[in-house]
């Protein structure tokens, strides 16, 4: 029987950067990356998965990365916190039903037109991009962000055609085979558009370290890193994809 007079355990502190409990934090091993393309991560306010979320870990890698938590913003400029001359020069990872396999697209990054079809002049469309918008949260949360921010219709829609499934594996079940975590989606799109495989290598290495740390903590502090429920939540960055 527990002692009712015992003092409550001290709360476990959080990292001010990734906002994970300190036993799960890997920020001290993050390698900075210089990026040409700006990165904007819009996180649904109900995204609460501090243990397995990747949005803030992703942002810590880049000086030119912004995380915004909320449901809607009147424009890309307001969401980013600085003026944007042409929203069409920003890509958004598209939430619709279009899949690269269904479209018989072979490239890893595919630009779509307003009809959800493979757009003409792929190289030109993708080459003019100045930044990328990612939506972070569960499938339904990411869709809510998409529909509540009509300015995204001005952005260039892109989908990904990953060669491998998400590294989450059994830790988090994705609703689609092409579903990726936020950090994995960023790795694919930034490395591809900037033609820098080192970006993908660095981000994937951080993600692997995060997952390894999670599994290690499961044995010692299961309340911080619980094992997945039998029925996994549907989440991640969607194709669109999440944090």
């Amino acid at each position: 029987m527990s002692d009712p007079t015992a003092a409550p355990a001290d709360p476990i502190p959080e990292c001010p950067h990734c906002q994970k409990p300190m036993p799960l934090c890997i920020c001290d091993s993050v390698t900075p990356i210089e990026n040409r393309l700006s990165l904007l991560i819009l996180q649904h306010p109900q995204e609460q998965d501090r243990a397995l979320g990747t949005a803030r870990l992703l942002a810590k890698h880049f000086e030119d990365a912004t995380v915004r938590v909320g449901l809607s913003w009147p424009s890309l400029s307001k969401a980013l916190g600085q003026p944007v001359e042409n929203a069409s020069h920003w890509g958004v990872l598209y939430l619709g039903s279009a899949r690269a396999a269904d479209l018989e697209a072979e490239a890893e990054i595919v630009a779509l037109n307003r009809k959800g079809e493979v757009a003409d002049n792929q190289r030109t469309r993708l080459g003019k991009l100045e930044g990328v918008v990612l939506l972070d949260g569960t499938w339904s949360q990411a869709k809510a962000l998409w529909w509540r921010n009509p300015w995204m219709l001005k952005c260039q829609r892109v989908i990904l055609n990953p060669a491998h499934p998400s590294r989450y594996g059994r830790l988090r079940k994705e609703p689609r085979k092409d579903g990726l975590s936020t950090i994995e989606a960023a790795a694919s799109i930034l490395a591809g558009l900037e033609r820098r495989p080192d970006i993908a290598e660095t981000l994937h290495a951080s993600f692997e370290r995060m997952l390894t740390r999670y599994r290690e903590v499961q044995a010692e502090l299961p309340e911080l890193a619980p094992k997945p429920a039998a029925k996994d939540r549907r989440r991640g960055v969607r194709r669109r994809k999440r944090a």
Side-chain angles (χ1 to χ4, degrees):
M1 181 179 295
S2 61
D3 183 358
T5 64
D10 293 333
I12 297 177
E14 293 183 354
C15 170
H17 304 292
C18 67
Q19 297 186 359
K20 294 181 183 297
M22 288 304 298
L24 292 172
C25 173
I26 63 162
C27 287
D28 59 350
S29 67
V30 166
T31 301
I33 305 172
E34 292 186 6
N35 53 319
R36 175 180 61 83
L37 292 172
S38 300
L39 183 61
L40 173 61
I41 305 165
L42 301 182
Q43 186 177 76
H44 193 283
Q46 293 180 359
E47 167 56 72
Q48 297 294 326
D49 193 343
R50 298 182 306 156
L52 284 172
T54 63
R56 294 188 181 276
L57 174 62
L58 165 63
K60 184 171 174 58
H61 280 275
F62 302 99
E63 181 175 346
D64 190 3
T66 303
V67 179
R68 291 282 184 262
V69 180
L71 287 174
S72 63
W73 297 263
S75 65
L76 174 58
S77 295
K78 291 294 184 180
L80 191 61
Q82 63 186 49
V84 176
E85 294 184 4
N86 192 339
S88 69
H89 289 179
W90 277 69
V92 58
L93 202 50
Y94 183 49
L95 256 181
S97 60
R99 307 186 194 196
D102 297 337
L103 297 173
E104 299 183 353
E106 297 182 357
E108 185 174 8
I109 305 169
V110 182
L112 302 180
N113 60 26
R114 292 291 183 91
K115 296 180 180 180
E117 303 166 340
V118 176
D120 296 331
N121 303 317
Q122 289 282 309
R123 181 175 296 182
T124 300
R125 287 174 178 266
L126 295 175
K128 71 180 181 181
L129 295 182
E130 301 171 355
V132 177
V133 180
L134 300 178
L135 309 182
D136 186 68
T138 65
W139 180 268
S140 60
Q141 289 169 355
K143 286 201 296 184
L145 287 169
W146 173 266
W147 291 113
R148 293 183 66 132
N149 291 277
W151 51 264
M152 290 185 193
L153 296 176
K154 300 177 182 179
C155 299
Q156 172 63 61
R157 304 179 193 186
V158 297
I159 57 174
L160 296 179
N161 186 23
H164 305 284
S166 173
R167 288 167 172 78
Y168 270 133
R170 294 184 178 181
L171 289 177
R172 179 182 288 179
K173 181 70 174 179
E174 295 294 346
R176 288 168 49 158
K177 292 182 178 180
D178 56 0
L180 299 175
S181 66
T182 304
I183 197 170
E184 289 172 305
S188 294
I189 197 166
L190 293 179
L193 293 178
E194 296 199 22
R195 299 183 181 181
R196 287 182 52 194
D198 63 292
I199 293 179
E201 292 169 1
T202 299
L203 294 180
H204 287 157
S206 280
F207 189 35
E208 290 285 6
R209 287 195 300 274
M210 189 199 86
L211 296 178
T212 297
R213 179 69 58 84
Y214 180 90
R215 294 185 178 99
E216 292 172 347
V217 171
Q218 275 185 341
E220 300 179 4
L221 298 168
E223 69 276 15
L224 293 183
K227 292 183 177 180
K231 186 176 182 180
D232 293 294
R233 297 174 66 193
R234 297 158 63 95
R235 59 186 311 122
V237 171
R238 327 302 175 196
R239 318 289 266 261
R240 100 220 95 30
K241 282 198 92 2
R242 82 110 36 308

